[in-house]
Amino acid sequence: MITLTPLSSSASASSSSEPISYLLQLDEARILLDLGQRDYRSSSLQSSWEYEEKVRELAPTLSLVLLSHSPTNYLSLYPYARARWGLTCPVYATQPTVEMGRVVCLADVESWRSECSVDDTASTPSSAAESSKLDKGKKPLRGPFVPTVEEVHEAFDWIKAIRYNQPLHLGGDLSHLLLTPFPSGHTLGGTLFKIRSPTSGTILYAVGINHTSERHLDGMVGGQNGPTGYADGVLRPDLLIVEGGRSEVINPKRRDRETALLDLVTSTLESNHSVLLPSDPSPRLLELLVLLDQHWTFKLNPANKRRQANQNDPWPYPLCLVSRTGQDMIAFARSLIEWMGGVVKEAGGEEAMSDLTSEKKGRRKKRNAGAALGSEYGALDFRHVQFFLTPSDLLQAYPLMRPKLVLAIPPTMSHGPSRFFFTTMASAEGNVVLLTSRGEDSTLARDLFNKWEIEQDESGKWGKGKIGRLATPQGHVQLEMDSKVPLIGAELEAHLEAERLAKEREAAHQAALDRSKRMLEADDLESESESEGSGDEDYADGIIVAKRLRDENANAFAGDGEDVNRTMSFDIYVKGQQTRINRGYQKDGEMTRFRMFPFLERRGRKIDAYGEGLDIGQWVRKGREIEEEGETEEVREKKRLKEEEEEKQKVKPEAPSKYIKETLDLDLKASVFFVDMEGLHDGQSIKTIISDLQPRKLILVRSQPEITSSLVKYLNSTAGVTQDIFIPATGEQIRIGEHVQSYSITLGDSISAGLAKKWSKFEGYEVAMIDGKIAFAPGSTVPVLEISDLVKPLPVEATIEEEPETEAEAVLVPVSGDGDVEMTTEPAKEAAQETAHDDEAQTEDGAVVKTEIEDVKPNIDGPEKGSIAEKKTKSEKSRYTSQKSSIPSSLLIGTLRLTSLKNHLAALQPLSIPSEFAGEGILVCGPGLQTPENEKVKSGSIVAVKKIGENGIVVEGTIGRVYDLVVRAVKGELASVNSA
């Protein structure tokens, strides 16, 4: 049984910018597919928290979490759920998703906490039970849900990294599931998850896919495998979960989009104005950095003739990235080059730019990446990108009025550097705000995108297939700016005074506790062992034994020669000590009982077993001297540098500060331009992908109602596409399949010995045909399948199972006198010899049997005891031959795709066979197709392949060489299963 529940971003949602999260219940497993969160500012403004409430409720009960991509709407709620809501189940993602997701969450957390106050008063629960007690029913949720930096690191350290195309057998309660990741494009490490269950089938989770290659990534798994373009592992899934929100989108060509972006950047900078490009901290930032850095390399190339008139001046415009995690992201990316594709692996910057500058198509100069850029990192060298941690660092290096390109995070411009630079650059005429994504609802980026789209023609709007034009929206924009400023003046003095008073109160409280403790132990005496000892340690038999701390609730006897730090409890009255009362153990009226003569044997000794005194400190000092003498000057220098580095990494105490909020009224004069660089599929692509994958059932998610209905209408009108399409709403459960009873069976030695070379691969499975009977070994509950001849037949009840009728097969069924049916096990040869001389066969009591196998039915109430009702054909009598049933020697299984067959015939060597579609379900092939009209087609030169019904295949033509090749190609498209 498969159950899918969209927790957010369903196919019936009103917005496609909602966070992505789906609950998949497969058999007994509860799997959460992605765990995203809204932008922090839009999350703080919302009033409904149903999605977060549901996640909090489900977190302790989940069996598995799968993270497919690294943007915030895919995984940013995961660290908070793990730290605060009791999410303790295993989490799987690819290594790039882990590292880039960590960068994304850290960038957002640090940026938001540097501007806005976050309530961390609720301590992190240590268990799921404490989490439930803390949150459930007591404190309503209110976002944004911002974890701490330590919680982010801990959460991503917990994730188990997986690799593409490597099946992973899960453990524990999920041991029956097989998980296989495939590349999906769109982001570095983006994943299609394939989950296989032996009872429920195969599920393919395909959200956030891109079929085309980019500068740093290859397309989804279908881009490089087989004649159909798809790997066998993703074809024909039992259930496909795919997004449909972009099914009406028409993307411009990648070349056109990149050219428009670079032309705008160049023209704006050369006109002495600046460009602000909001971007995410990692997933799509890499693509932009590769493109822009290559453009800067092209501009700085001395051989370039398209520069300004003064050829000696370099390209004077800085390329700046403002992000706290920018350099960490680049370091991670350079360690993940094997996960990338495009020009990052193949070529350097000069070759990549030739795509946009070469006047002749196909004119490219192949060159090694490292050699072209003079670096081992190739296209990831980023020699022209300058990194800045904060906006103030950038403004110190380059004044505000100097022309520059600024990439700032986040893309929504709801907080952080991108929001700050918008307030400083939006009021200057000539500056450009360049948007590469539409942004989430209720964010500044979405508002600017709406202003840009209003000024576009109908053909220039987003999703219409053309690049729009530069827009200059006029008007005022009101923004709330949050910031964290240090305290000064009277506020600082008041804060320091409050801290001083708090420390004094704490010190006074601690002093009172210490004084009370000293009064209770006023008569304790110092023992000789303490006066002679070395402080905090006793030495026994050469082993350091740490002294116990004093128990505040116990009395200690401090006699001569006794260890005062060893605690004991007794009931005898000692001067200055408290009398122990047996609370709860003393009966009414009974006097307090005391233990007489309490004694604690001293065990601490400073000598070994032979009576020799030990000085551990001497050995420690001697070892340190030996180490220092053996150190070289180089080792000492490394130690000194390491200590200095550790000292620098120590977090300095933060200066007293406060959070302020102010409203700015900006006069928007800057221009706005949008070019789609999200790296996602378009409408025609998703329709083709669904048609090519051929899923048996389909679930659409992450779409809008009108777009979803249009996609469903198209799929229903397309031949060969499943009609089982489900459109769940948010929170609605979709149940697919039925409960299946699974049983375990062991293959016996007689069968498994003959299966060594009989296995055939089909859709990721290994199958073979076997014929045998089930037997139970003594003392075993698992049945064993053995060859039929080795298993003694069991008596059958008074029922006869009908077997499929065949022209060449009939079974003799003798009937006993009381009407019970007995199965014969005589070999086919002997039975055939007994019945070959006569058309009639008699049972033990003389009853005549003349019928086909389907017509054999016991007739207990017949006029003659043991007789069987006879059914004769009108044309001729049925002739009976008793033979042992057998299975065919081989079987072809699978689904023939005529498109794949056409490609197969065209790729035959040494001579290919041309083919054409002659109608729906008919493929005509053979060299006769190329015969001129005035010539006669030779016999045997044309063969037709027809698909009849669901599983029928008919090959028509004259027997000959072409016919044999076509039949062989048809069989090659199917899986051959051989019997044991």
Side-chain angles (χ1 to χ4, degrees), residues 74-151:
Y74 288 91
L75 53 63
S76 65
L77 190 59
Y78 159 67
Y80 194 92
R82 170 159 177 78
R84 312 292 179 90
W85 293 344
L87 178 63
T88 58
C89 66
V91 184
Y92 289 95
T94 58
Q95 188 66 40
T97 301
V98 174
E99 301 301 340
M100 297 304 170
R102 187 199 305 266
V103 168
V104 168
C105 291
L106 286 176
D108 277 357
V109 166
E110 293 177 355
S111 176
W112 183 262
R113 286 180 174 270
S114 66
E115 297 180 1
C116 302
S117 176
V118 178
D119 184 13
D120 286 331
T121 55
S123 60
T124 302
S126 59
S127 64
E130 293 183 13
S131 174
S132 177
K133 291 180 182 179
L134 178 65
D135 290 331
K136 190 172 182 180
K138 291 186 177 181
K139 186 175 66 174
L141 291 179
R142 178 167 181 80
F145 304 97
V146 186
T148 62
V149 173
E150 293 76 13
E151 290 171 351

Side-chain angles (χ1 to χ4, degrees), residues 86 229 264 365 482 505 774 811 837 886:
L264 177 66
K365 183 188 300 181
D482 299 306
R505 286 193 297 268
I774 293 176
V811 179
H837 64 279
S886 62

